[in-house]
Amino acid sequence: MCGIIGYIGREEKASDMIMEGLAKLEYRGYDSAGIALATPSGILVEKTKGKLVNLADHLAQIGFPKGYAGIGHTRWATHGEPSDINAHPHWSQNHDVVVVHNGIIENYMQLRQELLQNGDTFLSETDTEIIPHIIAQYYEKDRDPVRAISQAISRMRGSYALGIMFADRPGELYAARKDSPLVVGLGRHENYIASDIPAVLSHTRDVYFLEDYDIAILDTEQIRIVDRAGHSVSRDVFHVTWDVAAAEKGGFPHFMLKEIHEQPHVVRETLNSRLLDDVDAPKMEDLGISKEVLDGLKRIYMVACGTSYHAAMVGKYLIERVARLSTIVETASEFRYRDPIIDEKTLVIVVSQSGETADTLAALRMSKQAGAKVLGIVNVVGSSISREADYVFYTWAGPEIAVASTKAYSCQLAAMYLLTAHFAMLRGKMTPEEFHELKGDLIGLPAKIGEILNQEEEIKKIVDAVDPLNVFYVGRGLDYYTGMEGSLKLKEIAYLHSEAYAAGELKHGPIAMIEPGTLVIGIVTQKSLVEKTISNLKEVKARGAQVLCIATEDVDPSLMDGVADERIIIPAGNWMFTSLLANIPQQLIAYYMSVKKGYDVDKPRNLAKSVTVE
Ligand code: AGP
């Protein structure tokens, strides 16, 4: 995820403070970094691709001044590959405004077009570059920075945390935010802005958390916060008591838990990247899959590994059931060696959080060589898969630091939902009216994830009370795939043997394993299959298993009486999307099981975040 730091103070040390702050943000992952410094003759900007040391070496080489005020940024590429040019800060046309930005501006193409028509030129491929251009446009009118920022942000749709400097105001820093965190740190004769507390923690423990649409104005002595209309607002000072390690995790004990809690935000980002308020179809033109292309296809493969493979399973189920397109899912390590039928009438969809998984990348290369078009569903911009695929659907989960994938999976599912709708509409299997309704359900997903996260304490209690020898995850339809992901997570971080089974398969073998000490987690969210799954759960209950049901609130509770020892009830809704919701408790179950056993949650044994070797 991108990181922001800003410093203004009486002592001439701004660039040192900014570089120190950026170093504190390195743990979040980034691909380039940059700095802007106020000087009497204007703002200086330097930026480099790669690690912070590249920027530090470059600054030393050119004798970059220390200065009194500046902003810095570590970039995690979203729009445009990692490069010097795409790194932040970005300039306005006349170099009078400089901006660093975290988040995504969804309508940047439209705004960029308007600016181009006005004669502006752009250097980068980023969405961010339009921001200083728009602010400068308004600033030129009456030299009122707050009004200029406020007018600019009223034009932007999406999420942003901004650090802003005006060339003719070297004694001031500006900050603004919406849907992307930003804090303002209070010092003595110096003040700070930061996307994350660790960036400022060694200098101050007193911060304001800016709220949506707040604009902060900082000088060396004071901080003023105003709303969009320019009226002063007061925010409470928060005294940070966390140590640095806890602060890096946003106050959570582990990155995994932090990432679990980021899901409402990141799922919203993925959805917003493809949904428009006034259009009843997902925005997918860049994927190169038109009706003609789809009609001309003989087959679709989805290829992935691990958690991404589970997202592909959900995608296949939905594409077949809703868009009526036959789709084959395979693990990349099998696909690449079995000589599958691939030609120019084949679409291969590769799914990968990292975009670097060796087997998935090999499957991509093999498919392209055989003439197929490849669509990548990828989280990391600039990764090998994103560069080599013909088309890319980015999931906007931000960097995932915990080895166990959580938020990236939820964003992959959101991508699958959108892709399914796109295919279904192209094939005439979904009307704009039906999509309109679906869009409402999609937009409601982040709030529902939040409701489930509110049950964290109860889920922890359930985990604390069980000590299973082994665990079965069972379900039917989409619930089966949800169970596969739950089971993988439990194995990965709690080292507990578990298996996922289609509930109807139990009696074909695995039921022989059921005995006291076995925990069976039944996922029950698919209306037409509820009674069937509950019957299977009765069978395991009768053989001594402990049963935990993860069920939607519209499942008749009496059906679970006498079957479920424990139940976790999740919000009901569109049958497709409960696959995302039912997985949230599973993530928390695995997490708390690992914590209970005292394991290294974020770095489980024998595993790597990105499997770049076979
Ligand atoms: C997920 O929790 C795992 N760490 C692992 O299964 C992962 O999903 C798999 O290695 C694929 O990674 P990718 O999505 O980066 O390609």
Side-chain angles (χ1 to χ4, degrees):
M1 203 89 78
C2 302
I4 290 177
I5 172 79
Y7 170 85
I8 187 160
R10 275 196 198 174
E11 286 179 48
E12 195 173 0
K13 57 177 185 182
S15 54
D16 289 343
M17 297 294 275
I18 290 163
M19 290 304 285
E20 183 194 312
L22 291 179
K24 299 273 166 53
L25 295 172
E26 276 194 296
Y27 73 95
R28 291 158 55 89
Y30 66 103
D31 50 54
S32 51
I35 183 169
L37 194 73
T39 74
S41 52
I43 302 173
L44 302 178
V45 172
E46 295 297 333
K47 41 199 197 171
T48 53
K49 181 182 164 184
K51 291 290 159 202
L52 207 51
V53 66
N54 299 356
L55 181 65
D57 288 350
H58 173 68
L59 296 182
Q61 216 166 37
I62 61 171
F64 197 68
K66 305 274 181 220
Y68 296 91
I71 47 182
H73 191 261
T74 45
R75 175 173 186 251
W76 161 271
T78 56
H79 298 72
E81 57 171 19
S83 70
D84 292 357
I85 300 274
N86 287 336
H88 301 203
H90 288 284
W91 291 109
S92 61
Q93 184 71 23
N94 297 324
H95 285 201
D96 38 11
V97 180
V98 166
V99 162
V100 289
H101 165 222
N102 285 3
I104 298 171
I105 305 301
E106 287 148 26
N107 58 338
Y108 86 101
M109 283 304 278
Q110 178 201 331
L111 295 170
R112 189 176 162 116
Q113 209 49 43
E114 283 175 26
L115 290 159
L116 283 169
Q117 274 158 12
N118 269 346
D120 282 19
T121 50
F122 292 93
L123 304 172
S124 76
E125 303 159 85
T126 63
D127 53 338
T128 301
E129 199 179 353
I130 57 124
I131 305 173
H133 281 246
I134 301 185
I135 295 175
Q137 227 180 33
Y138 289 112
Y139 188 58
E140 266 169 29
K141 288 190 189 138
D142 59 8
R143 315 308 279 180
D144 181 332
V146 169
R147 195 155 41 228
I149 294 169
S150 159
Q151 283 171 319
I153 61 184
S154 71
R155 308 276 318 278
M156 298 172 348
R157 225 182 38 238
S159 57
Y160 50 81
L162 302 173
I164 308 160
M165 289 167 71
F166 293 83
D168 62 351
R169 294 177 175 269
E172 288 164 5
L173 282 191
Y174 290 81
R177 69 149 266 175
K178 179 185 159 269
D179 290 339
S180 212
L182 199 63
V183 298
V184 176
L186 292 81
R188 220 174 106 72
H189 305 310
E190 57 187 16
N191 290 308
Y192 312 83
I193 59 172
S195 53
D196 297 81
I197 288 170
V200 296
L201 205 55
S202 46
H203 299 287
T204 181
R205 289 187 166 269
D206 292 328
V207 298
Y208 293 120
F209 286 99
L210 293 188
E211 293 184 11
D212 278 355
Y213 301 110
D214 280 353
I215 299 173
I217 306 116
L218 291 76
D219 61 27
T220 58
E221 309 307 316
Q222 60 168 348
I223 294 161
R224 203 157 63 84
I225 303 175
V226 298
D227 63 17
R228 272 181 288 187
H231 301 132
S232 288
V233 288
S234 94
R235 300 281 170 244
D236 294 336
V237 175
F238 180 82
H239 184 72
V240 182
T241 51
W242 315 321
D243 61 18
V244 174
E248 284 184 349
K249 293 167 191 138
F252 291 98
H254 299 98
F255 282 110
M256 181 178 173
L257 193 59
K258 174 173 181 266
E259 286 159 7
I260 288 173
H261 279 268
E262 281 170 3
Q263 290 178 113
H265 172 66
V266 295
V267 166
R268 192 179 298 119
E269 294 282 47
T270 306
L271 295 173
N272 285 349
S273 72
R274 301 276 170 188
L275 294 177
L276 293 173
D277 293 346
D278 38 5
V279 182
D280 284 330
K283 194 170 53 150
M284 300 285 207
E285 303 75 25
D286 57 316
L287 300 189
I289 304 170
S290 60
K291 181 168 170 37
E292 295 65 47
V293 171
L294 219 50
D295 287 346
L297 288 179
K298 277 205 287 205
R299 66 191 72 79
I300 299 178
Y301 286 113
M302 283 207 188
V303 185
C305 303
T307 286
S308 298
Y309 170 75
H310 298 149
M313 294 295 279
V314 171
K316 167 212 159 72
Y317 188 93
L318 296 178
I319 289 170
E320 289 203 343
R321 195 162 151 189
V322 181
R324 309 309 291 166
L325 267 171
S326 140
T327 307
I328 304 160
V329 180
E330 275 195 59
T331 49
S333 55
E334 288 298 313
F335 184 80
R336 65 182 291 194
Y337 290 120
R338 78 164 179 86
D339 194 16
I341 303 166
I342 310 172
D343 55 25
E344 57 292 341
K345 293 199 165 167
T346 308
L347 173 67
V348 178
I349 302 175
V350 294
V351 190
S352 175
Q353 183 285 127
S354 62
E356 300 294 350
T357 301
D359 286 323
T360 313
L361 189 57
L364 175 156
R365 289 179 178 155
M366 185 178 101
S367 305
K368 279 185 79 173
Q369 213 155 32
K373 284 277 178 249
V374 177
L375 165 66
I377 298 182
V378 182
N379 193 40
V380 180
V381 178
S383 58
S384 303
I385 292 179
S386 77
R387 282 184 277 109
E388 294 188 35
D390 296 294
Y391 308 106
V392 186
F393 185 136
Y394 285 114
T395 52
W396 299 116
E400 201 176 51
I401 294 171
V403 165
S405 184
T406 52
K407 62 175 183 168
Y409 177 69
S410 290
C411 291
Q412 287 170 343
L413 291 189
M416 292 301 173
Y417 302 154
L418 291 162
L419 202 61
T420 300
H422 178 52
F423 287 179
M425 290 188 85
L426 290 179
R427 287 176 51 78
K429 306 287 180 197
M430 186 182 286
T431 62
E433 293 71 34
E434 285 166 334
F435 181 77
H436 184 80
E437 200 176 320
L438 197 87
K439 188 163 86 170
D441 294 338
L442 281 170
I443 291 167
L445 268 178
K448 288 184 176 174
I449 300 172
E451 278 177 47
I452 300 170
L453 293 174
N454 288 339
Q455 298 182 47
E456 184 175 345
E457 261 315 300
E458 291 89 85
I459 295 172
K460 178 179 181 303
K461 276 190 199 136
I462 292 173
V463 174
D464 284 344
V466 295
D467 187 17
L469 295 171
N470 61 9
V471 183
F472 282 87
Y473 287 76
V474 302
R476 286 169 180 256
L478 285 177
D479 291 339
Y480 168 38
Y481 307 128
T482 303
M484 289 169 82
E485 175 55 14
S487 169
L488 176 67
K489 216 88 312 174
L490 195 70
K491 285 193 275 260
E492 258 189 307
I493 59 167
Y495 316 150
L496 186 53
H497 177 252
S498 75
E499 289 190 61
Y501 263 93
E505 272 293 291
L506 284 174
K507 58 184 166 300
H508 297 287
I511 201 162
M513 297 278 298
I514 306 292
E515 58 182 340
T518 306
L519 173 65
V520 177
I521 299 182
I523 303 116
V524 196
T525 76
Q526 300 297 297
K527 226 176 190 156
S528 60
L529 299 166
V530 167
E531 289 181 6
K532 300 256 174 228
T533 304
I534 300 264
S535 299
N536 299 128
L537 292 175
K538 279 184 183 155
E539 288 158 13
V540 297
K541 177 79 188 158
R543 284 158 182 84
Q546 203 172 7
V547 174
L548 163 61
C549 277
I550 299 174
T552 39
E553 63 196 349
D554 55 356
V555 172
D556 178 354
S558 69
L559 290 175
M560 290 181 276
D561 289 347
V563 185
D565 297 287
E566 294 290 350
R567 46 187 96 175
I568 298 168
I569 304 301
I570 61 170
N574 190 307
W575 65 273
M576 295 192 227
F577 310 147
T578 49
S579 50
L580 192 162
L581 299 177
N583 185 47
I584 310 290
Q586 296 190 145
Q587 296 171 341
L588 290 168
I589 289 169
Y591 172 78
Y592 279 111
M593 194 64 89
S594 176
V595 170
K596 184 166 103 168
K597 288 169 175 275
Y599 297 141
D600 188 345
V601 175
D602 287 333
K603 292 198 184 87
R605 68 186 181 203
N606 308 339
L607 295 176
K609 181 66 186 160
S610 173
V611 185
T612 53
V613 290
E614 265 198 73

